[in-house]
Amino acid sequence: QVQLVESGGGLVQAGGSLRLSCAASGSIVSVDVMAWYRQSPGKQRVLVASITSGGSTAFADSMKGRFTISRDNAKNTVYLQMNSLRPEDTAVYYCNARVRPGSSWTYNNYWGQGTQVTVSS
């Protein structure tokens, strides 16, 4: 069984910063791409940023220059550093990872439970 556990959400004023963490645990052989998505009320879940096991990153256009994604492969953990936060960044942030569990020869897609980020104006 593989679990993704997020932490680091909360309430912050506009212009402030937050750092989200997501750790994958369980019977894991390897972790491929790790990513962060977000979902605002009444809207679809959208990609925020992703990072491969080799460190290649990709960002949604509105986050470029403000958000940074990184990972610690030894800890199977991904981080999202969010700076210059805006009220429109308010959402539930979800961690996503492609993981090869110990019981499988293939990679499966896993989601965390989500962490709320609220940016006040």
Side-chain angles (χ1 to χ4, degrees):
Q1 188 78 356
V2 174
Q3 287 186 320
L4 301 183
V5 178
E6 301 126 332
S7 60
L11 174 65
V12 64
Q13 287 189 331
S17 299
L18 281 175
R19 188 190 194 212
L20 305 182
S21 300
C22 171
S25 63
S27 177
I28 296 172
V29 174
S30 63
V31 182
D32 189 11
V33 177
M34 303 186 82
W36 289 96
Y37 287 73
R38 72 184 188 187
Q39 187 168 21
S40 302
K43 296 186 177 180
Q44 288 188 327
R45 191 174 298 187
V46 297
L47 177 68
V48 174
S50 65
I51 183 168
T52 68
S53 57
S56 297
T57 60
F59 295 89
D61 286 344
S62 62
M63 289 72 163
K64 288 180 181 177
R66 299 191 300 126
F67 291 8
T68 303
I69 189 169
S70 61
R71 65 190 282 174
D72 184 334
N73 290 332
K75 296 181 179 180
N76 290 328
T77 299
V78 62
Y79 306 96
L80 184 68
Q81 178 67 43
M82 304 184 292
N83 300 325
S84 302
L85 283 162
R86 307 165 180 168
E88 53 264 39
D89 293 318
T90 295
V92 178
Y93 285 71
Y94 295 91
C95 176
N96 173 268
R98 290 189 70 239
V99 178
R100 182 185 162 198
S103 59
S104 174
W105 289 99
T106 62
Y107 283 87
N108 299 328
N109 200 36
Y110 294 90
W111 291 93
Q113 80 284 357
T115 185
Q116 177 70 46
V117 171
T118 302
V119 184
S120 63
S121 57

